[in-house]
Coordinates of all heavy atoms in Angstrom, one line a residue:
V1 N 102.8 97.6 113.5 CA 101.4 98.0 113.8 C 100.9 98.7 112.5 O 101.5 99.6 112.0 CB 101.4 99.0 115.0 CG1 100.1 99.6 115.2 CG2 102.0 98.4 116.2
T2 N 99.7 98.3 112.1 CA 99.1 98.9 110.9 C 97.9 99.8 111.4 O 97.1 99.3 112.2 CB 98.6 97.8 110.0 OG1 99.6 97.0 109.6 CG2 97.9 98.5 108.8
V3 N 97.9 101.0 111.0 CA 96.9 102.0 111.3 C 96.0 102.1 110.1 O 96.5 102.5 109.0 CB 97.4 103.3 111.7 CG1 96.3 104.3 112.0 CG2 98.4 103.2 112.9
K4 N 94.7 101.9 110.2 CA 93.8 102.0 109.1 C 93.6 103.5 108.8 O 93.4 104.3 109.7 CB 92.4 101.3 109.4 CG 92.6 99.8 109.5 CD 91.2 99.2 109.3 CE 91.4 97.7 109.4 NZ 90.7 97.0 108.4
P5 N 93.6 103.8 107.5 CA 93.3 105.2 107.1 C 92.0 105.7 107.5 O 91.0 104.9 107.4 CB 93.4 105.2 105.6 CG 94.1 103.9 105.2 CD 93.8 103.0 106.3
E6 N 91.9 106.9 108.0 CA 90.7 107.5 108.5 C 90.1 108.5 107.5 O 88.9 108.8 107.5 CB 90.9 108.1 109.8 CG 91.3 107.1 110.9 CD 91.6 107.8 112.2 OE1 91.3 109.0 112.4 OE2 92.2 107.1 113.1
H7 N 91.0 109.1 106.7 CA 90.5 110.2 105.8 C 91.1 110.1 104.5 O 92.3 109.7 104.3 CB 91.0 111.6 106.4 CG 90.6 111.7 107.9 ND1 89.3 112.1 108.2 CD2 91.2 111.5 109.0 CE1 89.2 112.1 109.5 NE2 90.4 111.8 110.0
L8 N 90.4 110.4 103.4 CA 90.8 110.3 102.0 C 90.7 111.7 101.4 O 89.7 112.4 101.6 CB 90.0 109.4 101.2 CG 90.2 109.3 99.7 CD1 91.7 108.8 99.5 CD2 89.2 108.3 99.1
G9 N 91.7 112.2 100.7 CA 91.7 113.5 100.1 C 92.9 113.8 99.3 O 93.8 112.9 99.1
K10 N 93.0 115.0 98.8 CA 94.2 115.5 98.1 C 95.1 116.2 99.0 O 94.7 117.1 99.7 CB 93.7 116.5 97.0 CG 92.9 115.9 95.9 CD 93.7 115.3 94.9 CE 92.9 114.9 93.7 NZ 93.7 114.2 92.7
L11 N 96.4 115.7 99.1 CA 97.4 116.2 100.0 C 98.2 117.3 99.3 O 98.6 117.1 98.1 CB 98.3 115.1 100.4 CG 99.5 115.5 101.3 CD1 99.0 116.0 102.6 CD2 100.5 114.3 101.4
S12 N 98.4 118.4 100.0 CA 99.3 119.4 99.5 C 100.2 120.0 100.6 O 99.7 120.0 101.8 CB 98.6 120.6 98.8 OG 97.8 121.2 99.7
L13 N 101.4 120.4 100.3 CA 102.3 121.0 101.3 C 102.9 122.2 100.6 O 103.5 122.1 99.6 CB 103.3 120.0 101.7 CG 104.4 120.5 102.7 CD1 103.7 120.8 104.1 CD2 105.5 119.5 102.9
A14 N 102.7 123.4 101.2 CA 103.2 124.6 100.5 C 103.6 125.7 101.6 O 103.1 125.6 102.7 CB 102.2 125.2 99.6
E15 N 104.4 126.6 101.2 CA 104.8 127.7 102.1 C 104.1 128.9 101.7 O 103.9 129.2 100.5 CB 106.3 127.9 102.0 CG 106.8 128.9 103.1 CD 108.3 128.9 103.3 OE1 108.9 127.8 103.2 OE2 108.8 130.0 103.5
G16 N 103.6 129.7 102.7 CA 102.8 130.9 102.4 C 102.8 131.8 103.6 O 103.2 131.4 104.7
F17 N 102.4 133.0 103.4 CA 102.4 134.0 104.5 C 101.1 133.8 105.3 O 100.0 133.7 104.8 CB 102.3 135.4 103.9 CG 102.5 136.5 105.0 CD1 103.7 136.7 105.6 CD2 101.4 137.2 105.4 CE1 103.8 137.7 106.6 CE2 101.5 138.1 106.4 CZ 102.7 138.4 107.0
D18 N 101.3 133.7 106.7 CA 100.2 133.5 107.6 C 100.0 134.9 108.3 O 100.9 135.4 109.0 CB 100.6 132.5 108.7 CG 99.5 132.1 109.6 OD1 99.0 133.1 110.3 OD2 99.1 131.0 109.7
R19 N 98.8 135.4 108.0 CA 98.5 136.8 108.5 C 98.5 136.8 110.1 O 98.9 137.8 110.7 CB 97.2 137.3 108.0 CG 97.2 137.6 106.6 CD 95.9 138.2 106.1 NE 95.8 138.0 104.7 CZ 94.7 137.6 104.1 NH1 93.6 137.4 104.7 NH2 94.7 137.4 102.8
E20 N 97.9 135.7 110.7 CA 97.8 135.7 112.1 C 99.2 135.7 112.8 O 99.5 136.4 113.8 CB 97.1 134.5 112.6 CG 96.8 134.4 114.0 CD 96.0 133.2 114.4 OE1 95.3 132.7 113.6 OE2 96.1 132.7 115.6
L21 N 100.1 134.9 112.2 CA 101.5 134.8 112.8 C 102.4 135.8 112.2 O 103.5 136.0 112.8 CB 102.1 133.4 112.5 CG 101.3 132.2 113.1 CD1 101.9 130.9 112.7 CD2 101.4 132.3 114.7
R22 N 102.0 136.5 111.2 CA 102.8 137.5 110.5 C 104.2 137.1 110.1 O 105.2 137.7 110.3 CB 102.9 138.8 111.4 CG 101.6 139.5 111.5 CD 101.7 140.7 112.4 NE 101.3 140.2 113.7 CZ 101.5 140.8 114.8 NH1 102.3 141.9 114.9 NH2 101.1 140.3 116.0
R23 N 104.2 135.8 109.5 CA 105.4 135.3 109.0 C 105.1 134.2 108.0 O 104.0 133.7 107.8 CB 106.3 134.7 110.1 CG 105.7 133.5 110.8 CD 106.6 133.0 111.9 NE 106.0 132.0 112.8 CZ 106.0 130.7 112.5 NH1 106.5 130.2 111.4 NH2 105.5 129.8 113.3
S24 N 106.1 133.7 107.3 CA 106.0 132.7 106.3 C 105.8 131.3 107.1 O 106.6 131.1 108.0 CB 107.2 132.6 105.4 OG 107.0 131.7 104.4
V25 N 104.9 130.5 106.6 CA 104.6 129.2 107.3 C 104.4 128.1 106.3 O 103.8 128.4 105.2 CB 103.3 129.4 108.1 CG1 102.9 128.0 108.7 CG2 103.5 130.4 109.2
R26 N 105.0 127.0 106.5 CA 104.8 125.8 105.7 C 103.5 125.1 106.2 O 103.4 124.8 107.4 CB 105.9 124.8 105.8 CG 106.5 124.4 104.5 CD 107.8 123.5 104.7 NE 108.3 123.4 106.0 CZ 109.4 124.1 106.4 NH1 109.9 125.1 105.7 NH2 109.8 124.0 107.7
S27 N 102.5 124.9 105.3 CA 101.2 124.3 105.7 C 100.9 123.1 104.9 O 101.1 123.1 103.7 CB 100.1 125.3 105.6 OG 100.3 126.4 106.4
A28 N 100.4 122.1 105.6 CA 99.9 120.8 104.9 C 98.4 120.9 105.0 O 97.8 121.2 106.0 CB 100.4 119.6 105.7
H29 N 97.8 120.5 103.8 CA 96.4 120.4 103.7 C 95.9 119.1 103.1 O 96.6 118.6 102.2 CB 95.9 121.5 102.8 CG 96.2 122.9 103.2 ND1 95.4 123.6 104.1 CD2 97.3 123.7 103.0 CE1 95.9 124.8 104.3 NE2 97.1 124.9 103.7
L30 N 94.8 118.6 103.7 CA 94.2 117.4 103.1 C 92.8 117.8 102.8 O 92.0 118.1 103.6 CB 94.2 116.2 104.1 CG 93.7 114.9 103.5 CD1 94.7 114.4 102.4 CD2 93.6 113.8 104.6
R31 N 92.5 117.9 101.4 CA 91.2 118.4 101.0 C 90.4 117.3 100.2 O 91.0 116.5 99.6 CB 91.4 119.6 100.1 CG 92.0 120.8 100.8 CD 92.0 122.1 99.9 NE 92.3 123.2 100.6 CZ 93.6 123.7 100.6 NH1 94.6 123.2 100.0 NH2 93.8 124.8 101.3
S32 N 89.1 117.4 100.3 CA 88.2 116.5 99.5 C 88.5 116.7 98.0 O 88.5 117.8 97.5 CB 86.8 116.9 99.9 OG 85.9 116.2 99.0
A33 N 88.6 115.6 97.3 CA 88.8 115.6 95.9 C 87.5 116.2 95.2 O 87.6 116.8 94.1 CB 89.1 114.3 95.3
Q34 N 86.4 116.0 95.8 CA 85.1 116.4 95.2 C 84.8 117.9 95.5 O 84.6 118.6 94.5 CB 83.9 115.6 95.7 CG 83.9 114.1 95.2 CD 84.9 113.3 95.9 OE1 85.2 113.5 97.1 NE2 85.4 112.3 95.2
S35 N 84.9 118.3 96.7 CA 84.4 119.7 97.1 C 85.6 120.6 97.3 O 85.4 121.8 97.2 CB 83.6 119.6 98.4 OG 84.4 119.2 99.5
G36 N 86.8 120.1 97.6 CA 87.9 121.0 97.9 C 87.9 121.5 99.3 O 88.8 122.2 99.7
D37 N 86.9 121.0 100.1 CA 86.9 121.4 101.5 C 87.9 120.7 102.3 O 88.3 119.6 101.9 CB 85.5 121.1 102.1 CG 84.4 121.9 101.6 OD1 84.6 123.0 101.1 OD2 83.2 121.4 101.6
E38 N 88.4 121.3 103.4 CA 89.4 120.6 104.3 C 88.8 119.4 104.9 O 87.7 119.4 105.5 CB 89.8 121.6 105.4 CG 90.5 122.8 105.0 CD 92.0 122.7 104.8 OE1 92.6 121.7 105.3 OE2 92.6 123.6 104.3
V39 N 89.5 118.2 104.7 CA 89.1 117.0 105.3 C 89.6 116.9 106.8 O 88.9 116.4 107.7 CB 89.7 115.8 104.5 CG1 89.4 114.5 105.2 CG2 89.1 115.8 103.1
L40 N 90.8 117.5 107.0 CA 91.4 117.7 108.3 C 91.8 119.1 108.5 O 92.1 119.8 107.5 CB 92.6 116.8 108.5 CG 92.5 115.3 108.5 CD1 93.8 114.6 108.5 CD2 91.7 114.9 109.8
P41 N 91.8 119.6 109.7 CA 92.4 121.0 109.9 C 93.8 121.0 109.4 O 94.6 120.1 109.5 CB 92.3 121.2 111.4 CG 91.2 120.3 111.9 CD 91.4 119.1 111.0
A42 N 94.2 122.1 108.8 CA 95.6 122.3 108.2 C 96.6 122.2 109.3 O 96.3 122.5 110.5 CB 95.7 123.7 107.5
L43 N 97.8 121.7 108.9 CA 98.9 121.7 109.8 C 99.8 122.8 109.5 O 100.2 123.0 108.4 CB 99.7 120.4 109.7 CG 99.1 119.1 110.1 CD1 100.1 117.9 109.9 CD2 98.8 119.2 111.6
R44 N 100.1 123.7 110.5 CA 101.0 124.8 110.3 C 102.4 124.4 110.8 O 102.5 123.6 111.6 CB 100.5 126.1 111.1 CG 99.2 126.6 110.5 CD 98.9 128.0 111.0 NE 98.9 128.1 112.4 CZ 98.5 129.2 113.1 NH1 97.9 130.1 112.4 NH2 98.5 129.2 114.4
D45 N 103.4 125.1 110.3 CA 104.8 124.7 110.5 C 105.0 123.2 110.3 O 105.7 122.5 111.0 CB 105.2 125.1 112.0 CG 105.3 126.6 112.2 OD1 105.7 127.3 111.2 OD2 105.1 127.1 113.3
A46 N 104.4 122.8 109.2 CA 104.5 121.4 108.8 C 105.9 120.9 108.4 O 106.6 121.7 107.7 CB 103.5 121.1 107.7
V47 N 106.3 119.8 108.8 CA 107.6 119.2 108.5 C 107.4 117.7 108.1 O 106.7 117.0 108.8 CB 108.5 119.3 109.7 CG1 109.9 118.6 109.4 CG2 108.7 120.7 110.2
V48 N 108.0 117.4 107.0 CA 108.0 116.0 106.5 C 109.1 115.3 107.3 O 110.2 115.6 107.2 CB 108.2 115.8 105.0 CG1 108.3 114.4 104.6 CG2 107.1 116.5 104.3
L49 N 108.7 114.3 108.1 CA 109.7 113.5 108.9 C 110.2 112.3 108.2 O 111.3 111.9 108.4 CB 109.0 113.1 110.2 CG 108.6 114.2 111.2 CD1 107.9 113.6 112.4 CD2 109.7 115.1 111.5
W50 N 109.4 111.7 107.4 CA 109.8 110.4 106.7 C 109.0 110.2 105.4 O 107.8 110.5 105.4 CB 109.6 109.3 107.7 CG 109.8 107.9 107.1 CD1 111.0 107.3 106.9 CD2 108.8 107.0 106.6 NE1 110.8 106.1 106.4 CE2 109.5 105.9 106.2 CE3 107.4 107.1 106.5 CZ2 108.8 104.8 105.7 CZ3 106.8 106.0 106.0 CH2 107.5 104.9 105.6
I51 N 109.6 109.7 104.4 CA 109.0 109.3 103.2 C 109.6 108.0 102.7 O 110.8 107.8 102.7 CB 109.2 110.3 102.0 CG1 108.7 111.7 102.4 CG2 108.6 109.8 100.7 CD1 109.0 112.7 101.3
G52 N 108.7 107.0 102.4 CA 109.2 105.7 101.9 C 108.1 104.8 101.6 O 107.1 104.7 102.2
D53 N 108.3 103.9 100.5 CA 107.4 102.9 100.2 C 105.9 103.3 100.1 O 105.0 102.6 100.5 CB 107.5 101.7 101.2 CG 108.8 101.1 101.2 OD1 109.5 101.0 100.1 OD2 109.3 100.6 102.3
G54 N 105.7 104.5 99.5 CA 104.3 105.0 99.3 C 103.7 105.5 100.5 O 102.5 105.7 100.6
H55 N 104.5 105.8 101.6 CA 104.0 106.4 102.8 C 104.8 107.6 103.2 O 105.9 107.8 102.7 CB 104.1 105.4 103.9 CG 103.3 104.1 103.7 ND1 103.7 103.1 103.0 CD2 102.0 103.8 104.1 CE1 102.8 102.1 102.9 NE2 101.8 102.6 103.6
M56 N 104.3 108.4 104.1 CA 105.1 109.5 104.7 C 104.5 109.9 106.0 O 103.3 109.6 106.3 CB 105.1 110.7 103.7 CG 103.9 111.5 103.6 SD 103.8 112.7 102.3 CE 105.3 113.7 102.7
T57 N 105.3 110.6 106.8 CA 104.8 111.2 108.1 C 105.0 112.7 108.0 O 106.2 113.1 107.7 CB 105.5 110.6 109.3 OG1 105.3 109.2 109.3 CG2 104.9 111.1 110.6
I58 N 104.0 113.5 108.3 CA 104.1 114.9 108.4 C 103.7 115.3 109.8 O 102.7 114.8 110.4 CB 103.2 115.6 107.4 CG1 103.5 115.2 106.0 CG2 103.2 117.1 107.6 CD1 102.5 115.7 105.0
T59 N 104.4 116.2 110.4 CA 104.1 116.7 111.8 C 103.9 118.2 111.7 O 104.5 118.9 110.8 CB 105.1 116.3 112.8 OG1 104.6 116.6 114.1 CG2 106.4 117.0 112.6
G60 N 103.1 118.8 112.6 CA 102.9 120.2 112.6 C 102.0 120.6 113.7 O 101.7 119.8 114.7
L61 N 101.5 121.8 113.7 CA 100.6 122.3 114.7 C 99.2 122.6 114.1 O 99.1 123.2 113.0 CB 101.1 123.6 115.3 CG 102.5 123.5 115.9 CD1 103.0 124.9 116.3 CD2 102.4 122.6 117.2
E62 N 98.2 122.1 114.7 CA 96.8 122.3 114.3 C 96.1 123.3 115.3 O 96.3 123.1 116.5 CB 96.1 120.9 114.3 CG 94.6 121.0 114.0 CD 94.0 119.6 114.2 OE1 94.5 118.6 113.5 OE2 93.1 119.5 115.0
Q63 N 95.4 124.2 114.8 CA 94.8 125.2 115.6 C 93.2 125.1 115.5 O 92.7 125.1 114.4 CB 95.2 126.6 115.4 CG 94.6 127.6 116.4 CD 95.2 129.0 116.3 OE1 95.9 129.3 115.4 NE2 95.0 129.7 117.4
D64 N 92.6 125.0 116.6 CA 91.1 125.0 116.7 C 90.7 126.5 116.7 O 91.0 127.2 117.7 CB 90.6 124.3 117.9 CG 89.1 124.2 117.9 OD1 88.4 125.2 117.5 OD2 88.5 123.2 118.4
H65 N 90.1 127.0 115.7 CA 89.8 128.5 115.6 C 88.7 128.9 116.6 O 88.6 130.1 116.9 CB 89.5 128.9 114.2 CG 90.7 128.7 113.3 ND1 91.8 129.6 113.3 CD2 91.0 127.8 112.3 CE1 92.7 129.2 112.5 NE2 92.3 128.2 111.8
L66 N 87.9 128.0 117.0 CA 86.8 128.3 118.0 C 87.4 128.4 119.4 O 87.1 129.4 120.1 CB 85.7 127.3 117.9 CG 84.9 127.2 116.6 CD1 83.9 126.0 116.7 CD2 84.2 128.5 116.4
T67 N 88.2 127.5 119.8 CA 88.7 127.5 121.2 C 90.1 128.2 121.3 O 90.6 128.4 122.4 CB 88.9 126.1 121.7 OG1 89.9 125.4 120.9 CG2 87.6 125.3 121.7
R68 N 90.7 128.4 120.1 CA 92.1 129.0 120.0 C 93.1 128.1 120.7 O 94.2 128.6 121.0 CB 92.1 130.4 120.7 CG 91.1 131.4 120.3 CD 91.4 132.2 119.1 NE 92.6 133.0 119.3 CZ 93.4 133.3 118.2 NH1 93.1 132.9 117.0 NH2 94.5 134.0 118.4
R69 N 92.9 126.8 120.8 CA 93.8 125.9 121.3 C 94.7 125.3 120.2 O 94.2 125.1 119.1 CB 93.1 124.7 122.0 CG 92.3 125.1 123.2 CD 91.6 124.0 123.7 NE 92.5 123.4 124.7 CZ 92.0 122.6 125.7 NH1 90.8 122.3 125.8 NH2 92.9 122.1 126.6
T70 N 96.0 125.1 120.5 CA 96.9 124.6 119.5 C 97.3 123.2 119.9 O 97.6 122.9 121.1 CB 98.1 125.5 119.4 OG1 97.7 126.8 119.0 CG2 99.1 124.9 118.4
V71 N 97.3 122.3 119.0 CA 97.6 120.9 119.2 C 98.7 120.4 118.3 O 98.6 120.6 117.1 CB 96.3 120.0 119.0 CG1 96.6 118.5 119.2 CG2 95.2 120.4 119.9
A72 N 99.7 119.7 118.9 CA 100.7 119.1 118.0 C 100.1 117.9 117.3 O 99.3 117.1 118.0 CB 101.9 118.6 118.9
Q73 N 100.4 117.7 116.1 CA 99.7 116.7 115.3 C 100.6 116.0 114.3 O 101.5 116.7 113.8 CB 98.6 117.4 114.5 CG 97.7 116.6 113.6 CD 96.7 115.8 114.5 OE1 97.0 114.6 114.8 NE2 95.6 116.4 114.8
S74 N 100.5 114.7 114.1 CA 101.2 114.0 113.1 C 100.3 113.3 112.2 O 99.3 112.7 112.7 CB 102.2 113.0 113.8 OG 103.2 113.6 114.5
W75 N 100.5 113.3 110.9 CA 99.7 112.6 110.0 C 100.6 111.5 109.4 O 101.7 111.7 109.0 CB 99.3 113.5 108.8 CG 98.3 114.6 109.1 CD1 97.7 114.8 110.3 CD2 97.9 115.6 108.2 NE1 96.9 115.9 110.2 CE2 97.0 116.4 108.9 CE3 98.3 115.9 106.9 CZ2 96.4 117.5 108.3 CZ3 97.7 117.0 106.4 CH2 96.8 117.8 107.1
Y76 N 100.1 110.3 109.4 CA 100.7 109.1 108.7 C 99.9 109.0 107.4 O 98.8 108.7 107.4 CB 100.6 107.9 109.6 CG 101.2 106.7 108.9 CD1 102.5 106.5 108.8 CD2 100.3 105.7 108.3 CE1 103.1 105.4 108.1 CE2 100.9 104.6 107.7 CZ 102.2 104.5 107.6 OH 102.8 103.4 106.9
I77 N 100.7 109.2 106.3 CA 100.0 109.3 105.0 C 100.4 108.0 104.2 O 101.5 107.6 104.2 CB 100.6 110.5 104.2 CG1 100.5 111.8 105.0 CG2 100.0 110.6 102.8 CD1 99.1 112.3 105.2
E78 N 99.3 107.5 103.6 CA 99.5 106.4 102.6 C 99.0 106.9 101.3 O 97.9 107.4 101.2 CB 98.7 105.2 103.0 CG 98.8 104.0 102.1 CD 97.9 102.9 102.5 OE1 97.7 102.7 103.7 OE2 97.5 102.1 101.6
F79 N 99.9 106.9 100.3 CA 99.5 107.4 99.0 C 98.5 106.5 98.3 O 98.8 105.3 98.2 CB 100.7 107.7 98.1 CG 101.6 108.8 98.6 CD1 102.8 108.5 99.1 CD2 101.2 110.1 98.5 CE1 103.6 109.5 99.6 CE2 102.0 111.1 99.0 CZ 103.2 110.8 99.5
A80 N 97.4 107.0 97.9 CA 96.4 106.1 97.2 C 96.8 105.7 95.8 O 96.4 104.7 95.3 CB 95.0 106.9 97.1
N81 N 97.7 106.5 95.2 CA 98.2 106.2 93.9 C 99.7 106.3 94.0 O 100.3 107.3 93.5 CB 97.7 107.2 92.8 CG 96.2 107.2 92.6 OD1 95.6 106.2 92.6 ND2 95.6 108.4 92.5
P82 N 100.4 105.3 94.5 CA 101.8 105.3 94.8 C 102.7 105.7 93.5 O 103.7 106.3 93.6 CB 102.2 103.9 95.3 CG 100.9 103.4 95.7 CD 99.8 104.0 94.9
G83 N 102.2 105.3 92.4 CA 102.9 105.6 91.1 C 103.0 107.1 90.8 O 103.8 107.5 90.0
H84 N 102.1 107.8 91.4 CA 102.0 109.3 91.2 C 102.5 110.1 92.3 O 102.3 111.3 92.3 CB 100.5 109.7 90.8 CG 100.0 109.0 89.6 ND1 99.3 107.9 89.6 CD2 100.2 109.3 88.3 CE1 99.0 107.5 88.4 NE2 99.5 108.4 87.6
S85 N 103.1 109.5 93.3 CA 103.5 110.2 94.5 C 104.6 111.3 94.3 O 104.7 112.1 95.1 CB 103.9 109.2 95.6 OG 105.0 108.5 95.2
A86 N 105.3 111.2 93.2 CA 106.4 112.1 93.0 C 105.9 113.4 92.3 O 106.6 114.3 92.0 CB 107.5 111.5 92.2
A87 N 104.6 113.4 91.9 CA 104.1 114.6 91.2 C 104.1 115.8 92.0 O 103.9 115.8 93.2 CB 102.6 114.3 90.8
I88 N 104.4 117.0 91.4 CA 104.4 118.2 92.1 C 103.0 118.7 92.2 O 102.2 118.5 91.4 CB 105.3 119.3 91.2 CG1 106.7 118.8 91.2 CG2 105.1 120.7 91.8 CD1 107.6 119.6 90.3
G89 N 102.7 119.3 93.4 CA 101.4 119.8 93.6 C 100.7 118.9 94.7 O 101.3 118.7 95.7
S90 N 99.5 118.5 94.4 CA 98.8 117.6 95.3 C 98.7 116.2 94.8 O 98.7 116.0 93.6 CB 97.5 118.2 95.7 OG 96.6 118.2 94.6
T91 N 98.5 115.3 95.7 CA 98.3 113.9 95.3 C 97.3 113.2 96.2 O 97.0 113.7 97.3 CB 99.7 113.1 95.4 OG1 99.5 111.8 94.8 CG2 100.2 113.1 96.8
D92 N 96.6 112.2 95.7 CA 95.6 111.5 96.5 C 96.3 110.8 97.6 O 97.4 110.2 97.5 CB 94.9 110.4 95.6 CG 94.1 110.9 94.5 OD1 93.6 112.1 94.7 OD2 93.8 110.2 93.5
A93 N 95.7 110.9 98.8 CA 96.4 110.3 100.0 C 95.3 109.9 101.0 O 94.2 110.4 101.1 CB 97.3 111.4 100.7
L94 N 95.7 108.9 101.8 CA 94.9 108.5 103.0 C 95.7 108.9 104.2 O 96.9 108.7 104.3 CB 94.7 106.9 102.9 CG 94.1 106.4 101.7 CD1 94.3 104.8 101.7 CD2 92.7 106.7 101.5
A95 N 95.0 109.5 105.2 CA 95.7 110.0 106.3 C 95.1 109.5 107.6 O 93.9 109.5 107.8 CB 95.7 111.5 106.3
S96 N 96.0 109.2 108.6 CA 95.6 108.9 110.0 C 96.2 110.0 110.8 O 97.4 110.4 110.5 CB 96.1 107.6 110.4 OG 95.5 106.5 109.7
H97 N 95.5 110.6 111.7 CA 96.1 111.7 112.5 C 96.2 111.4 114.0 O 95.3 110.6 114.5 CB 95.5 113.0 112.2 CG 94.1 113.1 112.7 ND1 93.0 112.4 112.2 CD2 93.5 113.9 113.7 CE1 91.9 112.7 112.8 NE2 92.2 113.6 113.8
H98 N 97.2 111.9 114.7 CA 97.4 111.5 116.1 C 97.7 112.8 116.8 O 98.8 113.3 116.8 CB 98.6 110.6 116.2 CG 98.5 109.4 115.3 ND1 97.7 108.3 115.6 CD2 99.0 109.1 114.0 CE1 97.7 107.4 114.6 NE2 98.5 107.9 113.7
P99 N 96.7 113.4 117.5 CA 96.9 114.6 118.2 C 97.6 114.5 119.6 O 97.5 113.5 120.2 CB 95.5 115.2 118.4 CG 94.6 113.9 118.4 CD 95.3 112.9 117.5
A100 N 98.3 115.5 120.0 CA 98.9 115.6 121.3 C 98.8 117.1 121.7 O 99.4 117.9 121.2 CB 100.3 115.2 121.3
E101 N 97.9 117.4 122.6 CA 97.6 118.8 123.0 C 98.8 119.4 123.7 O 99.4 118.8 124.6 CB 96.4 118.8 123.9 CG 95.9 120.2 124.2 CD 94.6 120.2 125.0 OE1 93.7 119.5 124.6 OE2 94.6 121.0 125.9
I102 N 99.1 120.6 123.3 CA 100.2 121.4 123.9 C 99.6 122.8 124.2 O 98.7 123.2 123.6 CB 101.4 121.4 123.1 CG1 101.1 122.1 121.7 CG2 102.1 120.1 122.9 CD1 102.4 122.4 120.9
G103 N 100.2 123.4 125.2 CA 99.8 124.8 125.5 C 100.7 125.8 124.8 O 101.9 125.9 125.1
L104 N 100.2 126.5 123.8 CA 100.9 127.5 123.1 C 100.2 128.8 123.2 O 99.0 128.9 123.1 CB 101.2 127.2 121.6 CG 102.1 126.0 121.4 CD1 102.2 125.8 119.9 CD2 103.5 126.3 121.9

């Protein structure tokens, strides 16, 4: 099954302190290459499940700050520049996301 990419941006995954949770959290971000704005809401407690052949899957929790609802989310990533996917920092990526609402 092939899923067409829905979002294009710069992918980053880093650990940092989350003031709301009061602990260190790994977060994934997909930001616009032009403006730097979030293309998708960030994934907290992000985990890379699979990497291979210029693709990867990241899963985590997405929070809607208006409704305070938390949703389990997986991103299927296709690297736009596969030759540069090993670079440290952020890399161009195409992402499809698949939400599953959970009560947290």
Side-chain angles (χ1 to χ4, degrees):
V1 176
T2 301
V3 178
K4 292 198 176 225
E6 299 176 12
H7 308 279
L8 175 63
K10 295 275 187 184
L11 175 68
S12 65
L13 179 68
E15 189 165 324
F17 187 77
D18 186 303
R19 287 186 208 138
E20 184 178 336
L21 296 175
R22 289 179 265 160
R23 64 178 173 87
S24 189
V25 174
R26 235 177 345 267
S27 297
H29 298 271
L30 188 67
R31 292 188 172 97
S32 167
Q34 289 77 30
S35 67
D37 294 336
E38 296 271 349
V39 175
L40 292 172
L43 289 182
R44 294 194 310 190
D45 289 330
V47 176
V48 175
L49 298 178
W50 174 79
I51 300 174
D53 297 326
H55 299 85
M56 72 188 307
T57 302
I58 301 174
T59 190
L61 300 173
E62 175 185 303
Q63 184 167 20
D64 183 325
H65 293 288
L66 295 176
T67 64
R68 308 273 303 151
R69 295 177 92 160
T70 300
V71 177
Q73 183 74 264
S74 291
W75 292 353
Y76 177 74
I77 307 292
E78 177 181 332
F79 294 110
N81 299 320
H84 297 95
S85 62
I88 296 173
S90 64
T91 186
D92 292 335
L94 304 169
S96 297
H97 68 291
H98 308 281
E101 189 174 313
I102 59 172
L104 291 179

